[in-house]
Amino acid sequence: CNLTGWWENDLGSKMQVLKVDNDGTFSGEYHTAVSSAKKPIQPSPLIGSQHLDEDGKCTFGFTVNWKKFSDSTAVFVGQCFTGDDGKEVLHTSWLLREKVDSEPDDWKAT
């Protein structure tokens, strides 16, 4: 699986991976289509790592820092598959951590 390029999810968010290094590290930008932040959405930097496998069914993970418009950070993990049509498709899960003002509010931050 080649992560380099543009990817789009079901909600219209887009990710651009600029280059995957020989050790699997990569960087790029995430353009989210959804947000509860009060500031306008802006493209946000991402950095990640891909487990390079011979069979092409690679796993990967990346972090997005929404610092341009939000006080939150998200992490994504996933795997690349080749669909029945021959196109590569990514399946991911994610967690978002929002900043809270106190430790008692920790329960509502993730």
Side-chain angles (χ1 to χ4, degrees):
C1 180
N2 183 0
L3 291 179
T4 302
W6 284 95
W7 298 89
E8 184 172 355
N9 71 13
D10 297 340
L11 299 175
S13 296
K14 296 176 183 174
M15 171 178 76
Q16 181 184 25
V17 175
L18 301 173
K19 178 186 174 188
V20 179
D21 292 336
N22 290 338
D23 65 355
T25 60
F26 61 90
S27 63
E29 281 192 328
Y30 199 93
H31 303 246
T32 187
V34 296
S35 173
S36 61
K38 293 176 177 54
K39 294 179 182 177
I41 294 172
Q42 295 186 42
S44 300
L46 69 83
I47 189 161
S49 182
Q50 177 182 4
H51 185 84
L52 302 170
D53 272 347
E54 300 296 323
D55 65 4
K57 297 181 179 112
C58 66
T59 58
F60 60 89
F62 60 91
T63 301
V64 179
N65 186 336
W66 310 108
K67 64 184 175 184
K68 295 182 179 180
F69 68 94
S70 174
D71 289 331
S72 62
T73 302
V75 292
F76 295 75
V77 293
Q79 184 172 346
C80 182
F81 296 94
T82 302
D84 293 337
D85 59 1
K87 289 186 177 182
E88 292 175 331
V89 62
L90 307 180
H91 284 260
T92 61
S93 297
W94 57 274
L95 288 172
L96 179 105
R97 175 68 187 215
E98 294 182 315
K99 183 175 83 172
V100 293
D101 293 326
S102 65
E103 187 177 358
D105 290 333
D106 184 62
W107 66 271
K108 65 181 179 179
T110 303

